[in-house]
């Protein structure tokens, strides 16, 4: 079946640098994507979302890019801070009923 | 104020027991969900309820039975617990059903360990 996936399980970043987390999806019918952040011992927390009619969306220190041609989604975090250390998930939604399919997650470790 | 809350936070039990996990949301949302997160952090949806009605039921053993007494509550009852049921279970809610692109808000999780 089609699924969402992430390339790297762990990303180490120096504090202050920018982080880029990648996600590949294979279902061309997906039209809504979300990035979640999960800190240790907590539930996933919404970061930013994007619909398939957009290529880019910016939030506070975060930017999501969507490339539908190659079915690729990325999350950019500017000036990464220690509080950004967490596991990041991308999720796709392609059907009524609001069923989210999650990718495998990328752990971001911020080094001081 | 906690938006989506779950009890208990930790649950340790023996194989074969029956246990329940409770979830409540005070966001006024119509739709609630149960997810299972395994030891590798993989998150997978189990069930979804809209206004007390089951709308998503993934391939989950029938030992798992969700119950929604009202739209603010979605409980998960598990019969005859097995070792493989050990995981973190997350409840979530979203405003509406049937619309693609509704953000889901997650609870803090219930860590279930079956011995």
């Amino acid at each position: 079946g089609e699924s969402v996936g992430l390339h790297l399980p762990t990303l180490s970043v120096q504090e202050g640098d920018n982080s880029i987390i990648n996600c590949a999806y294979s279902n061309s019918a997906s039209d809504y994507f979300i990035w979640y952040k999960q800190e240790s011992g907590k539930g996933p927390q919404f970061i930013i979302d994007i619909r398939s009619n957009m290529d880019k969306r910016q939030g506070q220190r975060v930017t999501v890019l969507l490339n539908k041609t190659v079915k690729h989604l990325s999350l950019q975090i500017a000036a990464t801070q220690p509080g950004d250390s967490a596991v990041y998930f991308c999720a796709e939604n392609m059907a009524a009923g609001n069923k989210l399919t999650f990718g495998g997650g990328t752990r971001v470790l911020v080094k001081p | 104020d906690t938006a989506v809350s779950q009890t208990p936070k930790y649950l340790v039990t023996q194989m074969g027991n029956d246990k329940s996990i409770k979830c409540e949301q005070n966001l006024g949302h119509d739709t609630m969900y149960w997810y299972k997160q395994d030891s590798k952090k993989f998150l997978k949806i189990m069930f979804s309820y809209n206004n007390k009605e089951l709308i998503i039921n993934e391939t989950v053993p029938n030992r798992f039975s969700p119950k929604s007494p009202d739209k603010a509550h979605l409980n998960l009852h598990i019969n005859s617990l097995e070792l493989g049921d050990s995981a973190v279970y997350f409840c979530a809610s979203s405003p509406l059903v049937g619309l693609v692109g509704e953000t889901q808000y997650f609870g803090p999780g219930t860590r279930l360990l079956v011995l």
Side-chain angles (χ1 to χ4, degrees):
Chain A
E2 296 175 302
S3 63
V4 175
L6 294 174
H7 297 300
L8 299 173
T10 303
L11 177 67
S12 291
V13 183
Q14 199 69 38
E15 182 178 355
D17 286 353
N18 297 335
S19 304
I20 300 176
I21 307 165
N22 296 302
C23 178
Y25 68 95
S26 58
N27 194 326
S28 56
S30 295
D31 54 8
Y32 178 63
F33 304 88
I34 310 177
W35 280 101
Y36 282 92
K37 171 187 179 183
Q38 186 177 21
E39 296 175 274
S40 181
K42 297 183 179 179
Q45 177 188 3
F46 172 85
I47 302 174
I48 192 168
D49 59 1
I50 189 168
R51 297 186 186 273
S52 58
N53 60 353
M54 302 172 69
D55 297 325
K56 178 180 179 179
R57 190 159 189 230
Q58 286 184 292
Q60 187 177 15
R61 283 200 307 117
V62 294
T63 300
V64 55
L65 299 177
L66 177 62
N67 186 330
K68 294 180 286 294
T69 303
V70 295
K71 299 188 183 69
H72 185 266
L73 190 69
S74 68
L75 177 70
Q76 300 177 0
I77 306 173
T80 312
Q81 301 170 1
D84 295 327
S85 292
V87 177
Y88 290 79
F89 294 94
C90 65
E92 65 175 337
N93 184 326
M94 61 172 178
N98 210 24
K99 175 184 167 183
L100 285 181
T101 301
F102 280 80
T106 294
R107 185 179 302 279
V108 172
L109 296 175
V110 182
K111 297 179 287 187
Chain B
D1 286 344
T2 303
V4 183
S5 60
Q6 296 178 227
T7 54
K9 186 170 183 179
Y10 298 97
L11 184 54
V12 181
T13 188
Q14 299 286 331
M15 273 176 54
N17 284 350
D18 303 338
K19 290 293 179 185
S20 292
I21 306 171
K22 296 185 176 182
C23 178
E24 177 181 2
Q25 54 96 3
N26 62 5
L27 297 166
H29 288 169
D30 287 323
T31 309
M32 297 183 72
Y33 312 79
W34 277 111
Y35 286 83
K36 180 180 180 180
Q37 186 173 47
D38 63 22
S39 58
K40 297 180 181 177
K41 295 287 189 182
F42 188 70
L43 260 170
K44 186 165 168 51
I45 191 167
M46 300 172 68
F47 301 102
S48 170
Y49 266 74
N50 173 251
N51 213 356
K52 304 194 294 177
E53 214 174 303
L54 182 66
I55 55 171
I56 295 175
N57 185 350
E58 293 295 283
T59 308
V60 177
N62 57 15
R63 299 182 294 105
F64 290 79
S65 53
K67 286 184 173 55
S68 182
D70 55 62
K71 75 172 193 177
H73 296 83
L74 181 62
N75 304 323
L76 184 65
H77 188 74
I78 315 170
N79 289 327
S80 303
L81 278 155
E82 299 178 357
L83 295 177
D85 297 332
S86 296
V88 183
Y89 292 84
F90 287 101
C91 178
S93 72
S94 66
L96 296 169
V97 70
L99 298 179
V100 177
E102 288 291 333
T103 302
Q104 295 181 20
Y105 298 87
F106 284 78
T110 295
R111 286 134 192 89
L112 172 65
L113 178 60
V114 182
L115 302 174

